[in-house]
Amino acid sequence: MQDLDQAIIGQLVAENYRTAAIFRKFNIDFCCNGNRSIADACRQKNIDPATVTAQLAAVLTQQQDSAADYNSWPLDALTGHIRQKHHRYVEEQIPVLEAYLHKLCSVHGNDHPELALIFDLFRASAGELIMHMKKEELMLFPYIERMVQSVSEQAPLPPPAFGSVSNPIAMMMQEHDQEGERFRKIQELSNDFSVPPDGCNTYRVTYALLKEFQDDLHLHIHLENNILFPKAGRMEESMSMTGNSCSIQR
């Protein structure tokens, strides 16, 4: 982007919080010293501004694909997508958000006691989500993928240790409800992720990332509760009625 190196760092992060990750990567302070241009900051760090602006431009022009027709995807493609996109996203963002929340509590905790509650809720959610995703990756998703393979090959499928796919699905859906409720409390405590008047850029980035995390969680849960799980249940039922050689239901 033309003249991006003259952009003021703090303003850029305020307008697009994803740029904060690039500044963190190059150890450029976007909070307390965010009133500098990218060129000035790079000069002080002895960094080529073109290296930084190229990565910033990629972030600024990135578009999310929100029009994917997930309902038409084969179930093994959907489990792979959830594992690679949503599970990896959660694993990567948890330590980032924990670090930001810890900093906010240290700097603004006295004036904003709700931050400690938000931090506690997020840490609890993070721990539960990690265990939840491992159960899906080690137990539920492999079984769904074996069902798809069995249908494709018209081969018998050994019964799972958990009896029916409906059993782990019920557990996963209950855990989805718990984490959804936890994030509803976070949203309420943060006044719908609204930064207070005394909030700095770190405050803005943290709340923006929390909202992004919640949005990703909502899509993640939607893909499982409303598409993957019902289709997996119907597939298992059809296989039991047709000798493990049914066609994949769409």
Side-chain angles (χ1 to χ4, degrees), residues 121 176-186 188:
L121 285 166
H176 287 168
D177 290 343
Q178 292 170 353
E179 299 320 308
E181 178 60 29
R182 239 189 284 260
F183 262 86
R184 278 189 287 273
K185 292 178 181 177
I186 290 175
E188 181 180 349

Side-chain angles (χ1 to χ4, degrees), residues 17-18 64 89 93 208-216:
Y17 65 91
R18 291 183 180 86
Q64 295 182 346
Y89 170 83
Q93 288 301 106
L209 287 174
L210 273 173
K211 184 180 185 305
E212 182 187 75
F213 194 97
Q214 183 189 58
D215 291 344
D216 182 85

